[in-house]
Amino acid sequence: MCGIFGYTGNKLAAPLLVGGLELLEYRGYDSAGIAVINGTGKISLTRKAGGTDSVARLSAAVHELSPGGSLGIAHTRWATHGEVAERNAHPHVGRSGNVAVVHNGIVENYIDLKSELIDSGFTFSSETDSEVIAHLVSRETENGSCLSEAVRSAMRRVEGAAAIVATSVSEPEKLVAARLGNAGGIVIGSANGSHMLASDIVALLPHTNRVCYLESGQVATITPKSCDVTDLDGEPQQIDFVTSSRSADQAARGQFPHFMAKEIAEQPDSITAAMRQRVDLAQNTIDVPEFDLTPEQASAIDRAVFIGMGTSLHTGMHGASTLERLAQVPSYAENASEFRYRHPVVNENTLVVSVTQSGETADTLAAMELARDSGSKLVTAVEAEGTQATRLADITLPVRCGQEIGVAATKTMVATMITLTLMGARLAALRGVMSRETESEIAKALASLPSLAGTVLERDEPVKKIAQDLTAYRHLLYLGRGTQFPIAMEGALKMKEIAYIHAEGYAAGEMKHGVNALISAEMPTVALAPRDEMFEKMVSNVNEVKSRGGHVIAVTTDGDDVMESIADDVLYVPQTHPLLQPILNVIPMQMLAYHTAVALGMDPDKPRNLAKTVTVE
Ligand code: AGP
């Protein structure tokens, strides 16, 4: 939610700020803006709001205005307080026009702070909670504080989770950044004679891979040549720059029309990447070196809880059913935003597995904190390195598919499903409940999975044709059973998210308990019916839909001839090991949503009202 970028150095700041925002656009794109301290010692502000192309319009404006100055801050917004309008776009400027601030997160006590500021003569030009921070910092500098002290003092007043960057015309080489709680990270990069900072390392990689991460409660003061960190009281803190292994190339769209298309197409590689150094294809063995429990610790686990949001919740559902099946540990998945508030009973014998591609989702991080405080063994499966989830967890399982830019999660889901399947197998081995034969069967099936995923991708034309038909509908139903239930949920989420078609994902067994009343010619059903142990049950469900006048698109496995005789359309997916079948089946769900969105003229990379990284609850 919201992207922040800042630069101080010897180059012209404005183009670098816009370049940074282009790479952070996935975090929010309601509005975008930059503030540059120009040669005349004034803040030059450029902001654009509305639509999903605010960064592009900002870029054009900056190109035309060419603001001078070699220090600035920039922000791309996902609105929480106040409508999408230029006055609400960041940066916000403090009362005397001397200070500019960008903010990510929510100031929970902003109403109290705002009335206090209004009572002491401040006027507000936006409806945002963020503007109170600009005025608080401004008031402190008016009272004689340097920018660093002003930020520390302002942040001591703020309740909630926030990441901010401030600049002041009085100290024109200095950026001050602060982080409170989990409202998105701040990564600082060091390059020749300059420093820059961003919400995500991806925006720094074109300039440097020497980075350090700010922790909650820390304030960084950076100039072109220095980076000093303190806590909120000004006590110096040790911070170490590390060299990241990530490269800027990973974020390029290449010849694909959308990032989502690229990321769907990358999934055979994502599967391979998640298996690397974990599956020995010569010996057909599975190991997950990062999951370094002792056999005693593994045997002490009496329950596993997977937490996540959205696609990551569906991924966790798959992870839980796989873990339960392989490791014989009672397991379930839960929405992190529910888990965190319902006083769950978890203890040192509970394995809590957080699923979060970004490592920044506010609800998931809060649920992790709760689990950590309860003494649970805490694992996170994550794509983004160095993020807060990895700092909270006892064990980090990188999913290694490379950064995902499209707002709709695709390759991160598939890579995480692989990672969690391997973790389930490893736990089973540590507990001594998995036969060598089962391990070998899974390893052999994994060996052919990348090429089978490639086969799914090659079958694009039939999916495209069905997608074209779906553009005529406003409602869809997705049905699945067993391992396919999370895939039905995910198929429906993808369709809602990027094609704006109302879609419901249901366990097919629920049909008779209410959902059947919806079946009509106006609501097609996507039935996930691979040839597995639930196939006959799905055949009955498909027949029930057909006999009530519903249109059925069945997704079954190669070689099946039953679905062809009862469904209206059939998509075929290669057959694999039953525990891996959902990993193949989710791919046509992504393709179907993608082609439907494109056929409807939507931009699948930037769906309305959404952002890739949700750092507010
Ligand atoms: C799915 O396409 C969405 N991008 C969304 O549901 C996402 O999975 C969710 O917000 C969780 O994000 P995370 O994996 O970064 O925690």
Side-chain angles (χ1 to χ4, degrees), residues 309-312 356-358 361 407-409 493-494 497 614:
M309 301 299 291
T311 296
S312 289
T356 169
Q357 65 80 26
S358 64
T361 300
V407 165
L493 175 64
K494 282 284 153 294
E497 183 181 19
V614 185

Side-chain angles (χ1 to χ4, degrees), residues 71 146 148 157 179 213 221-222 226 241 276 286 288 327 373-374 391 401 462 484 494 547 599:
L71 174 141
C146 68
S148 311
R157 301 289 318 279
R179 185 175 156 204
Y213 293 86
T221 301
I222 66 173
S226 64
F241 279 84
R276 202 179 342 113
I286 296 171
V288 181
D373 295 345
S374 314
R391 290 195 282 272
C401 59
Q484 301 299 314
K494 282 284 153 294
S547 59

Side-chain angles (χ1 to χ4, degrees), residues 53 64 86 194-195 228 251 315 370 394 461 469 480 521 523 590:
D53 63 346
E64 201 179 311
E86 242 169 65
S194 67
H195 278 103
D228 297 306
T315 310
L370 184 152
D394 301 311
E461 278 312 313
D469 297 343
M523 187 170 79
Q590 302 162 348

Side-chain angles (χ1 to χ4, degrees), residues 57-285:
R57 286 186 291 118
L58 177 76
S59 170
V62 166
H63 188 71
E64 201 179 311
L65 298 168
S66 301
S70 54
L71 174 141
I73 56 177
H75 187 270
T76 175
R77 177 175 187 238
W78 186 88
T80 58
H81 294 65
E83 63 175 321
V84 177
E86 242 169 65
R87 67 181 181 286
N88 289 329
H90 300 220
H92 290 287
V93 175
R95 172 165 70 177
S96 41
N98 63 335
V99 162
V101 169
V102 288
H103 165 230
N104 181 11
I106 291 180
V107 181
E108 290 177 1
N109 56 336
Y110 89 101
I111 293 177
D112 292 345
L113 292 173
K114 191 169 177 173
S115 3
E116 173 191 315
L117 286 159
I118 289 172
D119 289 348
S120 54
F122 284 77
T123 52
F124 280 73
S125 53
S126 80
E127 291 101 57
T128 64
D129 55 338
S130 313
E131 195 180 350
V132 299
I133 302 180
H135 290 318
L136 285 174
V137 175
S138 192
R139 182 167 69 182
E140 294 299 324
T141 58
E142 285 167 23
N143 291 341
S145 295
C146 68
L147 185 63
S148 311
E149 182 45 36
V151 167
R152 285 193 288 264
S153 168
M155 294 308 271
R156 288 196 295 266
R157 301 289 318 279
V158 167
E159 288 170 17
I164 73 151
V165 186
T167 180
S168 160
V169 290
S170 317
E171 296 171 76
E173 284 207 319
K174 197 183 275 184
L175 293 174
V176 179
R179 185 175 156 204
L180 274 188
N182 300 316
I186 291 190
V187 197
I188 302 166
S190 173
N192 297 337
S194 67
H195 278 103
M196 56 210 76
L197 50 82
S199 304
D200 185 339
I201 188 175
V202 68
L204 304 181
L205 289 172
H207 311 284
T208 182
N209 62 355
R210 290 285 300 158
V211 297
C212 65
Y213 293 86
L214 216 56
E215 295 288 346
S216 175
Q218 290 186 327
V219 179
T221 301
I222 66 173
T223 68
K225 298 220 164 70
S226 64
C227 172
D228 297 306
V229 177
T230 67
D231 65 12
L232 288 178
D233 295 321
E235 278 302 310
Q237 306 265 296
Q238 172 75 24
I239 192 153
D240 297 318
F241 279 84
V242 294
T243 302
S244 167
S245 57
R246 289 178 61 176
S247 78
D249 302 346
Q250 288 173 336
R253 179 156 59 82
Q255 82 281 18
F256 289 92
H258 300 103
F259 277 108
M260 186 177 177
K262 171 179 179 264
E263 287 154 4
I264 289 173
E266 281 172 351
Q267 291 180 112
D269 289 340
S270 309
I271 294 171
T272 311
M275 283 163 40
R276 202 179 342 113
Q277 289 162 356
R278 293 172 175 161
V279 183
D280 182 332
L281 298 176
Q283 307 294 326
N284 292 318
T285 54

